[in-house]
Amino acid sequence: MTLSEAAGQIRRLVSDVDNAPRVTVEQLRLWETGRHQPIHSTVLVLAAFYDCSPKDLGLDATEAVAAVSPRAEPQHGHPAEEIPMPAIGERIPTAAEHLSYRVDTARRSIDRTLASATVNSSQLDHIDEMVLWASQEYIYTPPAQMLARLLDLLVEVEGLAASRQPAAVQVRLSELTAMLSTLTADALMKLGDLPRSRSWYATARTAADDSGNAELRARVRAQAAMLPFYYGPITHAVNLCREARSISSRFRTSATHAFAAAAEARALAKLGAAAEAEAALRYATKAFEQFGGDSADDAFAFPVRRYLLYKSGTLTSLGHTREARQVQEEALALYQDKTGIDPALLRLEAAICYARDRSPDEACQLAGVTFLRMDPAHRTPIVEERAREVVEVLPPAIRTGRAARELLEIIELPPGRM
């Protein structure tokens, strides 16, 4: 608007008001340039005309002007509640009346926050179902493909957790965040992105601790031990498993306690602490027998086949090859077709046992066939390193033999040429 148009519209606005301020083009120009200050009644007219507060107009916060307060800042995502502006010609509220209004406004704003922040049961049930679905899909879905799904779910959970929620809802959202963050960290670990995996495990621990769920806190730590187990230092894996065992000690018949004990036994065996590993394996066996195994089929379950996978890893590292092969056969019989990399890890451990028993041709052939038959999307650095270990445990004089060279060539082939 031009100054003339604005002045004309303001005059029409107050045409029916007694003792209304007289606004001219020249006066409006002086007010806009700050050379003159409008009187209190004119301030109300200008604020009403421009649908804003005196502060928005750059006017001094005098006692009379302050009574027409600027819009309140939004709280917790709610629209700001404006302090009502006195109609033109009305009495300006006193300071006490203004404070009373602010008190009532604050209470109404808090009441709205409490009412609107509550996640209804159907929303929470939906998220629960989606996280359960993701943990079931995670068992057999390639990590790169799974990562995108997990991130979508994390965005949805984070959106709910960002607002103030009742304590019980906030606890559940923290639990879901911890579970999704753990799966994200594990997927990144399988893909060989160690720095990001480490960061996501830290996020998972923070969320689990925030939830106050002791079993989940222990589970996240036991799962986080997989990163140093595969990539080192192995002592960190042992420490995380022991911490998980300690936290879950009051849940001795839980899947988490049995899992933490089995993971500790495997880490100790890889560290070379034979006596401690054997003692830990005995404890893990007892803990698993007390627990009885999981009937669930998701990433956070600990069924018989997964217990046998950890037992196989322990016995293989300890050099108990005969017993290890029996465990591997028993475990493989329990795995279905869509079960991800676990069957491949069991077969590679069987190949390591053959290598320890000085059967290099059989060891390298089994490892090569296992690697070639895998879905290329599952041939992650973890699988590659386990396959290379078959060669590493061979006697030095045999590592340069034909069988070993052929296995290394298979591992190094691009996926499209396999």
Side-chain angles (χ1 to χ4, degrees):
M1 291 183 294
T2 65
L3 284 171
S4 178
E5 290 170 338
Q9 291 186 33
I10 293 172
R11 285 196 298 271
R12 286 193 291 274
L13 176 67
V14 297
S15 60
D16 296 331
V17 178
D18 294 335
N19 301 319
R22 186 168 172 272
V23 178
T24 65
V25 171
E26 184 59 27
Q27 285 175 321
L28 194 57
R29 179 185 295 110
L30 293 173
W31 294 333
E32 287 187 356
T33 58
R35 295 174 62 184
H36 285 184
Q37 186 79 14
I39 62 175
H40 298 160
S41 59
T42 305
V43 168
L44 299 181
V45 171
L46 294 173
F49 175 70
Y50 290 114
D51 189 23
C52 63
S53 71
K55 183 177 180 181
D56 293 331
L57 295 175
L59 299 175
D60 290 338
T62 62
E63 181 179 354
V65 171
V68 186
S69 298
R71 292 182 177 93
E73 292 297 322
Q75 298 295 327
H76 302 289
H78 295 295
E81 179 164 349
E82 296 181 20
I83 295 176
M85 187 176 301
I88 298 170
E90 285 187 2
R91 179 179 62 84
I92 296 175
T94 66
E97 291 170 337
H98 178 56
L99 180 60
S100 297
Y101 181 82
R102 290 184 60 193
V103 168
D104 292 338
T105 300
R107 178 186 54 76
R108 287 193 295 269
S109 177
I110 291 172
D111 285 345
R112 280 200 310 270
T113 299
L114 291 172
S116 63
T118 303
V119 178
N120 62 51
S121 58
S122 61
Q123 283 179 294
L124 203 55
D125 288 345
H126 170 71
I127 296 292
D128 273 327
E129 289 175 6
M130 294 301 291
V131 172
L132 175 59
W133 167 82
S135 65
Q136 292 170 339
E137 293 273 303
Y138 189 84
I139 296 175
Y140 56 84
T141 304
Q145 182 181 343
M146 197 67 214
L147 198 56
R149 301 178 187 177
L150 293 170
L151 292 176
D152 287 342
L153 279 173
L154 277 163
V155 168
E156 192 167 351
V157 173
E158 194 275 337
L160 296 176
S163 300
R164 185 264 176 205
Q165 303 294 347
V169 174
Q170 195 65 50
V171 164
R172 187 58 186 145
L173 290 174
S174 294
E175 290 173 345
L176 295 172
T177 301
M179 295 168 68
L180 291 171
S181 298
T182 298
L183 294 180
T184 300
D186 191 73
L188 290 166
M189 177 189 68
K190 290 177 179 176
L191 294 170
D193 194 341
L194 306 189
R196 287 191 173 90
S197 175
R198 192 172 293 110
S199 296
W200 273 100
Y201 272 129
T203 297
R205 288 196 297 273
T206 299
D209 291 346
D210 185 60
S211 75
N213 184 326
E215 187 169 1
L216 182 59
R217 292 177 60 227
R219 185 58 184 248
V220 168
R221 284 159 173 79
Q223 195 66 43
M226 300 306 102
L227 183 63
F229 174 80
Y230 285 109
Y231 297 103
I234 192 66
T235 52
H236 287 187
V238 173
N239 291 337
L240 281 169
C241 290
R242 285 177 172 169
E243 186 178 354
R245 269 184 60 183
S246 176
I247 294 173
S248 64
S249 59
R250 56 188 173 129
F251 308 105
R252 292 183 182 274
T253 58
S254 69
T256 298
H257 194 67
F259 170 56
E264 181 186 354
R266 188 174 69 159
L268 285 167
K270 188 174 182 180
L271 185 62
E276 290 182 82
E278 290 175 352
L281 182 58
R282 288 192 296 271
Y283 182 90
T285 300
K286 182 179 179 181
F288 186 79
E289 289 173 351
Q290 291 176 338
F291 159 59
D294 248 327
S295 59
D297 193 20
D298 62 73
F300 292 96
F302 196 57
V304 175
R305 65 174 185 265
R306 290 207 70 203
Y307 161 70
L308 293 175
L309 172 68
Y310 282 84
K311 185 175 182 179
S312 167
T314 304
L315 295 172
T316 299
S317 294
L318 289 173
H320 301 337
T321 56
R322 183 177 178 180
E323 188 179 355
R325 285 201 298 271
Q326 292 175 346
V327 171
Q328 290 149 12
E329 291 175 4
E330 183 181 355
L332 286 168
L334 298 174
Y335 276 92
Q336 301 173 356
D337 293 336
K338 295 172 65 176
T339 45
I341 70 171
D342 284 0
L345 293 176
L346 284 163
R347 293 188 179 96
L348 291 174
E349 286 176 355
I352 292 171
C353 289
Y354 285 127
R356 291 186 183 279
D357 290 340
R358 299 181 182 275
S359 300
D361 291 344
E362 194 171 2
C364 294
Q365 183 179 7
L366 176 58
V369 169
T370 298
F371 201 79
L372 288 171
R373 289 180 178 175
M374 287 190 70
D375 179 348
H378 280 298
R379 295 191 197 117
T380 59
I382 286 179
V383 178
E384 293 177 8
E385 290 304 314
R386 205 62 167 155
R388 292 180 192 278
E389 194 175 339
V390 176
V391 176
E392 293 172 2
V393 299
L394 291 171
I398 305 178
R399 292 177 192 168
T400 55
R402 179 180 176 181
R405 290 200 311 272
E406 289 179 351
L407 174 58
L408 291 175
E409 288 173 1
I410 289 173
I411 297 171
E412 292 168 4
L413 280 173
R417 296 184 58 188
M418 292 186 180

